C-alpha cells in the first residue's frame, strides 16, 4: 500500500458527513413512507407530520433495539458459523 491509500484508510468520518448522511436517509425514508401511503400499500397517513413522526419513531426504535439485538444474537452467530441445516 502507498502512503496515500493509508491516509484514506486512517481518516475518520467527520460529523459533517455523518449529518449529511443522516439527513439523506431521513429524506429517503420520508419519501418512501409517503410513496407507500400514496400507493395504498397498507399505510394511511393524513399529513406530512404523521409521516415525519412515523419515520422518527422507526429511526429511534432502530437506534435502540439494533445494538441490543446484535449483542444478544452475536454469540449464537459465532457458535453456529458454518453449520448447515
Amino acid at each position: 500500500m502507498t502512503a496515500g491509500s493509508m491516509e484514506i484508510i486512517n481518516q475518520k468520518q467527520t460529523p459533517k458527513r455523518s449529518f449529511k448522511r443522516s439527513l439523506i436517509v431521513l429524506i429517503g425514508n420520508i419519501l418512501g413512507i409517503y410513496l407507500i401511503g400514496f400507493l395504498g400499500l397498507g399505510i394511511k397517513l393524513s399529513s406530512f407530520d404523521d409521516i415525519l413522526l412515523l419515520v422518527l419513531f422507526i429511526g429511534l426504535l432502530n437506534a435502540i433495539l439494533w445494538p441490543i439485538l446484535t449483542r444478544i444474537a452475536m454469540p449464537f452467530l459465532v457458535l453456529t458459523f458454518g453449520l448447515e441445516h
Side-chain angles (χ1 to χ4, degrees):
M1 282 193 197
T2 64
S5 63
M6 286 299 290
E7 211 173 283
I8 293 171
I9 292 171
N10 291 332
Q11 286 179 349
K12 292 187 177 185
Q13 189 177 21
T14 63
K16 189 175 182 182
R17 265 193 195 159
S18 179
F19 179 75
K20 283 182 182 179
R21 183 183 181 281
S22 297
L23 191 61
I24 290 170
V25 168
L26 178 70
I27 292 169
N29 286 335
I30 289 171
L31 291 174
I33 295 292
Y34 177 77
L35 185 63
I36 289 171
F38 180 75
L39 295 174
L41 299 176
I43 295 179
K44 293 264 188 199
L45 298 169
S46 58
S47 70
F48 177 76
D49 294 343
D50 292 342
I51 296 171
L52 183 61
L53 285 174
L54 178 63
V55 168
L56 291 175
F57 178 71
I58 291 171
L60 184 64
L61 272 178
N62 190 29
I64 293 170
L65 292 179
W66 185 252
I68 294 169
L69 292 175
T70 302
R71 185 171 294 263
I72 292 169
M74 191 58 66
F76 299 109
L77 294 174
V78 170
L79 290 174
T80 60
F81 180 74
L83 297 179
E84 294 184 25
H85 294 29

